[in-house]
Amino acid sequence: MAPKWRELADKLAERIRSGEYAPGQQLPYIRDLVEAGEGSKSTVHAAYRALEAEGLVTSSRGHGTVVREQAPLKRLGIARYDKAKWRDGDEVAFIADRVASGRAYKRGEQTQTISRVPAPPIVAQAHGLPEGAEVYARARLVKEGDQPTHTLTSYYRPEHVEGTRLVDPTPGPAGRGGGFRVLYDAGYEIDHMREELFARVPKPDEVEQLKLLPGEWVVELHRTTYTADGTVVEFAVGVHAATRFAWSYDFKVPDSAAEAPK
Amino acid sequence: MAPKWRELADKLAERIRSGEYAPGQQLPYIRDLVEAGEGSKSTVHAAYRALEAEGLVTSSRGHGTVVREQAPLKRLGIARYDKAKWRDGDEVAFIADRVASGRAYKRGEQTQTISRVPAPPIVAQAHGLPEGAEVYARARLVKEGDQPTHTLTSYYRPEHVEGTRLVDPTPGPAGRGGGFRVLYDAGYEIDHMREELFARVPKPDEVEQLKLLPGEWVVELHRTTYTADGTVVEFAVGVHAATRFAWSYDFKVPDSAAEAPK
DNA sequence: TAGTGGTCTAGACCACTTC
DNA sequence: AAGTGGTCTAGACCACTAA
């Protein structure tokens, strides 16, 4: 037998999914459900908290509880890295995402800080450096309007970027073409990438920075970017609000038996 | 000012992450913390519930609350689809995963049910069929020991699989080489794939089926498999416990300017 | 039987919004 | 001032485990 608050939450969730409660619509007031015999205030509130954690509703003091508008997922495919965009055009990858999803781009939606730091373990490993070696960290917080969507921190080896505008401490985006263009101009043309993804619970500072709802998870993305000769020129860590993104990858089915012998 | 239960949860989480409370170790009993002045039983319990939702501890009645062993993530790369494995060998993809991660394989860790059903909307769209057209659904629940790890449901067009052992209603796995081998023998050699992933809150039946912890999220995976001429021969939907998997993709940086004109 | 976590209640009080 | 959600308490009771 499921607890009373869970049963109430499931009942309301069902009505939301069926459309009986439409997005934007008010859910019953907690005190009304108490009066209607659904349980004590704590019990009904526990159900509402579960619904909020599941992203179905948002509550606010003084207003009430309304069914959330489900923002469509932003779909991230490998086409966002298309060389034609940052080499020949003026787009950077994160803008390309937005163009692809039909959203308008506005200036001032990205903040950036550059610093020179000792490499954290995963960064050192990705770059093949000893732990604690110094690297440049370029941290961005990307927003869509007022709403932060993800953070992205790129780590570069000093010898690859020293003297370029990528490590110019002046605030602001990396400029025309973005980071890959700067590397290209410096003689490092990116060739292939690896992306690794997993979901986890956000850390307290991420909840604040990304304005996450209570109970909302994040997806962490590790992107390693190589030149044609296998040199790692960028390792980046992204933290994305889990409910706002989907990732898409196209690939050939591998066939190790068909590979040329070495 | 964060609520009292949140502050207590963050304090304990910090001690867990720092190793002060090691995996397997008992956390203080709720009633002891009440006595120590951390708040009422409900308040302390709220903190413990948050820690459980975040995957840091597991509670059980009669026993207490212990720090969870963090099972290492199972890493899924595209190498698990290697043709050499299922065409020439006897492995199926999910076993290949396990071999790759160094875990032992045991029989009886996969259940399977075959049914002929009207295509749900996303399935119809993936196969280019009218909604409600009949397809074969092959649903598996994959376990590792007693612990379910994910569900995977493959949808096939009847004309591709009719008469093969793939739609044999006898329970049990698809046999030597798995589903891709059956398609290969039927004249449909798979060539390329698309995988799409996103995280979401589990549905109530998934919580039960996958034995998910309270508050744990899932990652839904959509896999579309094509032959060389672009025919969709399989569309599969997987639901994975979010804390137990990581996905990895390698790809070339695309360059639309370098493509041959059409 | 004694001790653990989990649920539920009734009520007080707080934070915030609207009138 | 009135009404909303959110927190917290004190205590009762339940479910489960171990001895």
Side-chain angles (χ1 to χ4, degrees):
Chain A
M1 174 83 174
K4 206 167 170 181
W5 62 267
R6 183 71 263 175
E7 295 200 329
L8 176 56
D10 287 343
K11 190 168 76 177
L12 292 169
E14 177 53 35
R15 292 191 187 164
I16 290 170
R17 293 209 176 85
S18 77
E20 191 173 334
Y21 290 120
Q25 190 174 343
Q26 284 262 350
L27 249 61
Y29 297 126
I30 289 182
R31 286 167 175 83
D32 289 353
L33 289 184
V34 172
E35 188 131 355
E38 294 287 359
S40 71
K41 194 186 167 191
S42 303
T43 303
V44 175
H45 178 243
Y48 274 47
R49 176 172 43 186
L51 292 174
E52 180 164 43
E54 290 160 17
L56 291 172
V57 305
T58 58
S59 297
S60 54
R61 289 193 252 234
H63 280 132
T65 302
V66 301
V67 179
R68 269 182 87 186
E69 316 279 346
Q70 294 294 346
L73 294 181
K74 189 189 284 193
R75 299 198 131 71
L76 303 182
I78 65 175
R80 71 187 185 277
Y81 299 121
D82 191 342
K83 290 183 184 182
K85 289 181 177 150
W86 51 262
R87 185 188 53 205
D88 312 325
D90 186 17
E91 296 179 86
V92 298
F94 85 93
I95 300 177
D97 294 343
R98 207 157 301 160
V99 170
S101 62
R103 294 189 172 100
Y105 164 67
K106 291 181 199 152
R107 295 208 168 272
E109 293 194 347
Q110 181 174 344
T111 62
Q112 173 170 274
T113 61
I114 304 279
S115 54
R116 190 168 172 144
V117 297
I122 54 166
V123 174
Q125 186 177 355
H127 273 292
L129 291 168
E131 195 166 324
E134 289 224 319
V135 292
Y136 276 104
R138 179 170 155 249
R140 290 89 95 196
L141 173 64
V142 181
K143 297 183 186 175
E144 194 166 290
D146 286 336
Q147 180 64 56
T149 62
H150 62 287
T151 63
L152 185 62
T153 304
S154 296
Y155 297 90
Y156 306 98
R157 299 179 70 137
E159 63 265 37
H160 291 155
V161 295
E162 200 74 74
T164 68
R165 66 178 199 264
L166 210 47
V167 293
D168 177 351
T170 310
R176 179 183 158 86
F180 295 143
R181 176 58 188 262
V182 173
L183 289 168
Y184 179 78
D185 291 341
Y188 301 100
E189 177 170 6
I190 64 171
D191 179 74
H192 57 284
M193 298 176 150
R194 166 173 293 174
E195 291 195 343
E196 290 190 85
L197 311 93
F198 58 94
R200 62 169 173 80
V201 170
K203 303 190 179 86
D205 60 311
E206 293 166 340
V207 171
E208 189 178 358
Q209 195 172 30
L210 295 175
K211 292 185 186 169
L212 297 173
L213 297 173
E216 188 170 9
W217 283 39
V218 294
V219 172
E220 184 168 326
L221 172 73
H222 294 178
R223 177 177 82 199
T224 314
T225 307
Y226 305 83
T227 58
D229 66 3
T231 305
V232 174
V233 288
E234 186 210 37
F235 176 72
V237 176
V239 178
H240 304 249
T243 52
R244 303 193 194 116
F245 293 90
W247 285 264
S248 174
Y249 296 93
D250 292 274
F251 55 91
K252 290 275 289 188
V253 177
D255 187 357
S256 61
E259 278 175 15
K262 300 185 180 180
Chain B
M1 175 84 173
K4 207 167 170 179
W5 63 266
R6 183 70 266 176
E7 294 200 331
L8 177 55
D10 286 343
K11 190 167 77 178
L12 293 168
E14 177 52 35
R15 292 190 187 164
I16 291 170
R17 292 209 178 86
S18 78
E20 191 172 335
Y21 291 121
Q25 190 176 342
Q26 284 261 350
L27 248 61
Y29 298 126
I30 288 181
R31 284 168 175 83
D32 288 353
L33 289 184
V34 172
E35 188 130 356
E38 294 287 358
S40 71
K41 195 187 169 191
S42 302
T43 303
V44 176
H45 177 242
Y48 273 47
R49 175 172 43 185
L51 292 174
E52 180 163 43
E54 289 159 17
L56 291 172
V57 305
T58 57
S59 297
S60 55
R61 288 194 254 234
H63 281 132
T65 302
V66 300
V67 179
R68 271 182 85 186
E69 315 279 347
Q70 295 293 347
L73 295 181
K74 189 189 285 193
R75 298 198 131 70
L76 304 181
I78 65 176
R80 70 187 187 277
Y81 298 122
D82 191 342
K83 289 184 183 181
K85 289 180 176 151
W86 51 262
R87 184 189 53 206
D88 314 324
D90 186 18
E91 296 179 85
V92 298
F94 86 93
I95 299 177
D97 294 340
R98 206 157 304 159
V99 170
S101 63
R103 295 191 172 98
Y105 165 69
K106 292 179 197 153
R107 294 207 169 273
E109 293 196 348
Q110 180 174 344
T111 62
Q112 173 171 271
T113 60
I114 303 278
S115 54
R116 190 167 171 144
V117 297
I122 54 167
V123 175
Q125 187 179 353
H127 273 292
L129 290 168
E131 196 166 322
E134 290 222 319
V135 292
Y136 277 104
R138 178 170 157 250
R140 291 88 96 196
L141 173 66
V142 181
K143 296 183 188 176
E144 193 166 290
D146 286 337
Q147 180 64 56
T149 63
H150 62 285
T151 63
L152 185 61
T153 305
S154 296
Y155 297 90
Y156 306 98
R157 298 179 72 136
E159 63 265 37
H160 292 156
V161 295
E162 200 76 77
T164 68
R165 65 176 198 265
L166 211 47
V167 293
D168 178 350
T170 311
R176 179 184 160 85
F180 295 143
R181 176 57 188 261
V182 174
L183 289 168
Y184 179 78
D185 291 340
Y188 300 99
E189 177 169 6
I190 64 171
D191 178 74
H192 56 283
M193 299 176 150
R194 165 173 294 175
E195 291 195 344
E196 289 190 87
L197 312 92
F198 57 95
R200 61 167 174 81
V201 171
K203 302 192 180 86
D205 60 310
E206 293 166 341
V207 172
E208 188 178 359
Q209 195 173 30
L210 294 175
K211 293 185 187 169
L212 296 174
L213 297 173
E216 188 171 9
W217 283 38
V218 295
V219 173
E220 184 166 326
L221 173 73
H222 294 179
R223 179 176 80 199
T224 313
T225 308
Y226 305 83
T227 58
D229 66 3
T231 304
V232 174
V233 288
E234 185 209 38
F235 177 72
V237 176
V239 178
H240 301 70
T243 52
R244 299 200 268 266
F245 293 90
W247 285 263
S248 173
Y249 297 92
D250 292 274
F251 54 91
K252 291 273 289 186
V253 177
D255 187 357
S256 61
E259 278 175 14
K262 298 185 181 178

